[in-house]
Amino acid sequence: MLDVLYFAWVRERIGEPRERVETGAATVADLVDELRAREDRYALAFSDLSALRVAVDQELAEWDSPLQGVREVAFFPPMTGG
Amino acid sequence: MRVRVQSEPFDLGVELAGFGAEGDVGAQVTFTGIVRATGGLTRMEIEHYPGMTVKAIEKIAAEAMSRWALDDCLVIHRYGPLVPGDRIMMVATASRHRAAAFEAAEFLMDYLKSRAPFWKKEYGPDGAEWVAAKDEDEDALSRW
């Protein structure tokens, strides 16, 4: 089980800030494929990965980052702090 | 080194009292970001990633401390609803000499813009819009 979090417009498109996901995905990219296949709102949110960033266990990560032993994955647009 | 993420306003005088008081500090640089009313902006909402934000900023601040001869550094960043004129965030650096203090403050600002998990949503005459990250903000990191 994995906690999957969404922020900013990703959260708005998917319609919830977080959910528990039952998955055997080996990498972030595999998880994205599983989510995309679920419903249109996921497919829409993940339609352009170049417009998205990912954090694994609260550290910035890559699409090919492994998910073994991971508890939390977050998807969000490029950050706009400062 | 001090990092704070909060929804409440902050007072520059209070925050800087005693800042960099230890060590042989000869220079103190502060930067404050303020909400502008550009394009008729009436308010702004800043979202953040509670579990990650402080850790991400602490990592950036620790890097600044190790790259420059800083005696201290401070970062405060707000989230939640803000209106034009509100202070969004501040950084302060203290060092023996000004060059290190200025450079480290710029480094902190560049990294906070695109590596700290905040997202701004602006509300104006045309409705609400998420602020898009700019290529130049990403490019700014390459100089460090």
Side-chain angles (χ1 to χ4, degrees), chain B residues 12-98:
Chain B
L12 282 168
V14 170
E15 301 303 338
L16 293 172
F19 174 75
E22 292 167 25
D24 193 17
V25 168
Q28 197 179 81
V29 165
T30 69
F31 172 89
T32 310
I34 298 165
V35 181
R36 285 178 303 164
T38 310
L41 180 140
T42 51
R43 66 189 177 93
M44 173 187 282
E45 190 83 36
I46 300 183
E47 183 171 331
H48 78 118
Y49 183 170
M52 176 176 169
T53 317
V54 169
K55 279 193 286 185
I57 300 175
E58 281 175 349
K59 199 171 153 189
I60 296 166
E63 166 118 23
M65 295 289 292
S66 73
R67 286 178 68 163
W68 286 274
L70 298 184
D71 288 277
D72 205 354
C73 98
L74 162 68
V75 179
I76 300 173
H77 204 302
R78 292 178 66 191
Y79 61 88
L82 295 164
V83 295
D86 281 351
R87 295 187 191 102
I88 304 179
M89 52 85 62
M90 70 169 291
V91 304
T93 54
S95 182
R96 283 180 70 109
H97 302 291
R98 68 181 172 176

